[in-house]
Amino acid sequence: IVVDGKLDESSWSEFDKNNHVLPLNFFDTLFAYPPEINDTYFKILADQENIYVGFICYDANMKGLVTNSDQLWADDIADFLFDLDFGQSTFSDSYFILENNPIGKSNKALGSQNRWKPESYDVQYTQDNDKWILEFKIAWKDLGVKLGEIPLLSGANFLRFRANERGGYKDIAIS
């Protein structure tokens, strides 16, 4: 897979054929929400060396995207949270946080909030009239996983935060 922000390789097409792709849903079922007007989809693939993640973030107001805040969390962002300890602790160094905004600005941290600088991390983005796409990869070795020892069970969260809707529950879509 070439990380270019397009998700146009045959591997991504095979993902679509073999998976039922639904938009991310809001995390709290106790609150009624109107239908999401800005669908967000994620895809994840892996091989023996890397994990590949793609976000497709539709937006009715592409000109209103927030991408230049002093703090990344104040931008429109898509997050990938990966737990290799499967829920043992979100505050451990086996809980990986990858945040990216629509122009590829990123934050990489561990659950302990220590900064983390994975050598293999590569993120690219594209934008259209109605969506932004993020594509990134990270090597298993940067996650502390040895070749041939890829865990069969792990946890992941995929989130999208919309900066212009902060302050209410409606700002978060989650898998």
Side-chain angles (χ1 to χ4, degrees):
I1 292 178
V2 175
V3 176
D4 57 10
K6 297 179 183 175
L7 304 178
D8 59 358
E9 289 88 3
S10 62
S11 297
W12 293 117
S13 298
E14 286 297 314
F15 178 94
D16 292 341
K17 285 188 219 174
N18 296 310
N19 293 280
H20 189 66
V21 180
L22 297 171
L24 295 178
N25 293 316
F26 289 100
F27 69 95
D28 196 330
T29 57
L30 298 176
F31 293 91
Y33 294 103
E36 177 59 33
I37 58 172
N38 296 295
D39 286 342
T40 304
Y41 300 87
F42 74 89
K43 302 176 182 189
I44 185 168
L45 297 171
D47 58 26
Q48 289 297 312
E49 295 180 18
N50 300 299
I51 296 176
Y52 304 89
V53 175
F55 278 93
I56 304 162
C57 303
Y58 286 90
D59 206 294
N61 183 15
M62 288 295 291
K63 291 182 180 179
L65 290 176
V66 177
T67 61
N68 59 354
S69 302
D70 290 338
Q71 301 295 321
L72 186 64
W73 59 264
D75 285 355
D76 285 279
I77 55 174
D79 286 2
F80 173 59
L81 311 174
F82 194 53
D83 181 3
L84 289 171
D85 241 357
F86 203 61
Q88 298 304 310
S89 174
T90 57
F91 302 105
S92 75
D93 285 346
S94 65
Y95 191 79
F96 300 91
I97 302 166
L98 298 168
E99 299 175 309
N100 298 279
N101 76 2
I103 59 171
K105 183 177 165 185
S106 64
N107 174 45
K108 299 162 288 292
L110 302 171
S112 61
Q113 294 304 307
N114 291 325
R115 290 290 174 236
W116 167 55
K117 296 182 180 180
E119 293 176 17
S120 65
Y121 188 68
D122 184 17
V123 60
Q124 299 296 322
Y125 69 94
T126 56
Q127 293 185 10
D128 285 333
N129 294 329
D130 65 343
K131 69 181 173 292
W132 50 282
I133 299 173
L134 284 171
E135 181 179 23
F136 59 87
K137 76 171 183 178
I138 186 154
W140 287 107
K141 68 178 181 178
D142 283 332
L143 299 169
V145 176
K146 295 177 184 170
L147 188 62
E149 296 181 12
I150 297 171
L152 295 177
L153 188 61
S154 57
N157 289 319
F158 302 83
L159 301 99
R160 176 184 179 188
F161 294 89
R162 299 191 67 244
N164 62 357
E165 294 179 356
R166 292 228 191 271
Y169 286 102
K170 65 183 179 178
D171 67 343
I172 302 174
I174 187 169
S175 68

